């Protein structure tokens, strides 16, 4: 398609090339320079646009996706929205198996983007036929011409970031980046970006972010699957209770775990200090930067890039809801934001 300077051919042309923004306040008590790669600037408001576009276009190149094909995924969040977005433009059907834990707002967003949504009970085991894993598998088997994205076990997930996010960060920092801080869920973002950056400069340190209640940090350190590490937590999209094959643990130097409460407060702080209205995991990444800083990872020459995965609008009923924060027991003397509305 022809490129016109002022006009995008369609919304997919706007995926990627997100800005790198200097943090001017929130990291001031740390040594070094900190830059946010703000993925909320993607048209679907998260970095998952990149993997949806890459995996779907790869399916087209390989001839797996054809006219009228159906794309299936287990997701309630960013990946579902991004797959639905790409499907609209490319003319595919989109079926998403989501957990009943997903908020009504999230399900409505997926429906608004034309996806067929299957709400599956949250508290059944992964091998129960009603679980969202099994429902997605069944839909895939029963639907002719269908493709199951399976982001946790799909190498193309990391390849999307190797091809786009990694090179963008290298260019935006003129190759001067010294540290990358990124969350790990499927591991696609951190693995793809880290591989690209380390190929350019092996001295770059890759600092992962995990959640208390997740297995990833312990597995990285010991190679063992320690079930005792796993318990419920609130941050969505970060950490895991299984080992995704999309994660390349060899390119990650170290993991730091953050708590639900610290991450929630940091996201709110990021909004009111830097004007960056981001999601829950972005708060986790800022918190991890503080913890890495306190442990002496940075000096005044450090150039640290933090990948902030998504926009804050998806979290209005969670970290940006004062009622939710109170229900979690998260409001304390650290924040007074709940005092800023007056009803007349
Ligand atoms: N943050 C958010 C909000 C996410 O949705 C995800 C994806 N699960 C991540 C971070 C982690 O990214 P990745 O899956 O690429 O490791």
């Amino acid at each position: 398609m022809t490129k016109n300077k002022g006009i995008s051919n369609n919304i997919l042309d706007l995926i990627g090339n997100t800005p790198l923004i200097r943090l001017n306040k929130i990291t001031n008590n740390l040594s070094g320079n900190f830059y946010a790669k703000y993925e909320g600037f993607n048209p679907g408001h998260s970095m998952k646009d990149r993997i949806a576009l890459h995996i779907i276009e790869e399916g087209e190149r390989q001839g797996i996706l054809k006219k009228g094909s159906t794309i299936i995924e287990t997701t309630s969040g960013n990946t579902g929205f991004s797959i639905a977005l790409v499907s609209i433009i490319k003319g595919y059907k989109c079926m998403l198996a989501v957990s009943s834990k997903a908020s009504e707002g999230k399900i409505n967003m997926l429906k608004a983007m034309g996806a067929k949504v299957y709400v599956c009970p949250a508290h059944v085991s992964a091998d129960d036929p009603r679980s969202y894993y099994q429902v997605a598998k069944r839909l895939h088997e029963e639907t002719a011409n269908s493709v199951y994205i399976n982001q946790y076990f799909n190498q193309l997930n990391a390849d999307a970031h190797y091809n786009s996010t990694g090179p963008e960060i290298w260019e935006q920092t003129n190759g001067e980046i010294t540290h990358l801080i990124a969350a790990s869920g499927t591991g696609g973002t951190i693995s793809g970006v880290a591989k690209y950056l380390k190929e350019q400069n092996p001295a770059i340190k890759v600092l992962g972010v995990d959640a208390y209640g997740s297995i990833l940090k312990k597995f990285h350190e010991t190679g063992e699957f320690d079930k005792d590490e796993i318990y419920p937590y609130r941050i969505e999209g970060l950490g895991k209770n299984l080992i995704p094959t999309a994660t390349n643990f060899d390119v990650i130097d170290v993991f730091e775990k953050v708590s639900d409460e610290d991450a929630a407060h940091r996201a709110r702080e990021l909004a009111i200090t830097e004007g960056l209205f981001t999601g829950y995991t972005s708060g986790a990444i800022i918190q991890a930067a503080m913890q890495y800083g306190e442990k002496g990872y940075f000096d005044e020459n450090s150039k640290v890039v933090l990948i902030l995965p998504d926009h804050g609008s998806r979290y209005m009923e969670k970290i940006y809801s004062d009622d939710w924060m109170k229900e979690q027991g998260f409001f304390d003397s650290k924040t007074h934001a709940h005092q800023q509305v007056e009803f007349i």
Side-chain angles (χ1 to χ4, degrees), residues 72-108:
I72 296 168
E73 182 60 317
T74 48
T75 167
S76 53
N78 292 327
T79 308
F81 192 88
S82 297
I83 292 170
L85 175 75
V86 178
S87 298
I88 289 167
I89 303 303
K90 290 185 170 281
Y92 301 124
K93 288 178 224 127
C94 174
M95 292 179 175
L96 303 172
V98 314
S99 154
S100 55
K101 246 168 55 178
S103 69
E104 200 186 334
K106 274 193 175 170
I107 293 169
N108 285 341

Side-chain angles (χ1 to χ4, degrees), residues 2-26:
T2 50
K3 292 249 177 201
N4 176 306
K5 253 190 180 171
I7 300 170
S8 303
N9 281 319
N10 60 50
I11 192 84
L12 304 185
D13 271 3
L14 300 172
I15 293 177
N17 292 314
T18 52
L20 193 66
I21 306 162
R22 179 187 295 276
L23 296 177
N24 293 302
K25 291 188 184 131
I26 194 163

Side-chain angles (χ1 to χ4, degrees), residues 47-48 78 152 157 183-189 236-237 281 309-310 315:
M47 81 300 193
K48 294 294 181 184
N78 292 327
Y152 284 92
N157 172 357
S184 200
T186 65
T189 309
E236 296 163 73
T281 55
D310 67 352
Y315 303 86

Side-chain angles (χ1 to χ4, degrees), residues 44-62:
H45 298 167
S46 88
M47 81 300 193
K48 294 294 181 184
D49 284 359
R50 299 176 187 265
I51 74 159
L53 184 64
H54 181 70
I55 296 175
I56 289 170
E57 291 197 333
E58 197 53 37
E60 290 173 339
R61 270 191 287 274
Q62 293 178 12

Side-chain angles (χ1 to χ4, degrees), residues 134-320:
Q134 298 305 326
V135 169
K137 248 172 81 183
R138 177 174 60 77
L139 289 170
H140 179 41
E141 283 157 12
E142 289 174 356
T143 312
N145 262 337
S146 67
V147 173
Y148 180 16
I149 299 269
N150 209 2
Q151 58 172 334
Y152 284 92
F153 300 96
N154 191 337
Q155 177 56 37
L156 293 172
N157 172 357
D159 291 352
H161 292 286
Y162 178 85
N163 292 339
S164 66
T165 327
E168 286 171 28
I169 292 173
W170 181 251
E171 277 167 33
Q172 285 169 310
T173 59
N174 293 319
E176 291 172 2
I177 172 175
T178 59
H179 300 77
L180 173 78
I181 307 183
S184 200
T186 65
T189 309
I190 192 166
S191 304
V193 174
K195 179 165 181 271
Y196 181 86
L197 292 176
K198 287 197 174 198
E199 281 174 7
Q200 314 312 307
N201 175 6
I204 293 171
K205 289 272 171 274
V206 175
L207 314 179
V209 183
D210 193 16
Y212 285 105
S214 154
I215 187 77
L216 299 178
K217 177 177 161 67
K218 186 79 176 277
F219 180 79
H220 181 247
E221 286 166 2
T222 65
E224 275 159 35
F225 193 87
D226 181 354
K227 281 199 185 119
D228 290 345
E229 290 290 301
I230 299 171
Y231 52 86
Y233 57 91
R234 297 179 187 86
I235 309 172
E236 296 163 73
L238 168 62
K240 212 48 209 167
N241 57 0
L242 50 78
I243 307 300
T245 58
T247 310
N248 178 356
F249 286 91
D250 294 342
V251 292
I252 302 166
D253 290 286
V254 60
F255 274 106
E256 186 71 17
K257 284 192 178 195
V258 301
S259 75
D260 288 332
E261 180 168 6
D262 287 339
H265 284 297
R266 287 295 183 201
R268 293 173 77 112
E269 189 185 344
L270 186 60
I272 57 173
T273 52
E274 308 279 351
L276 292 173
F277 187 53
T278 63
Y280 204 168
T281 55
S282 297
I285 289 159
I286 297 288
Q287 174 62 22
M290 302 299 174
Q291 294 175 202
Y292 279 121
E294 279 159 23
K295 290 186 174 178
Y297 275 80
F298 314 124
D299 61 29
E300 67 274 19
N301 299 318
S302 298
K303 292 208 158 90
V304 186
V305 172
L306 296 78
I307 302 181
L308 305 184
D310 67 352
H311 192 263
S313 55
R314 292 202 169 121
Y315 303 86
M316 297 314 296
E317 298 151 22
K318 298 237 165 133
I319 55 173
Y320 297 112

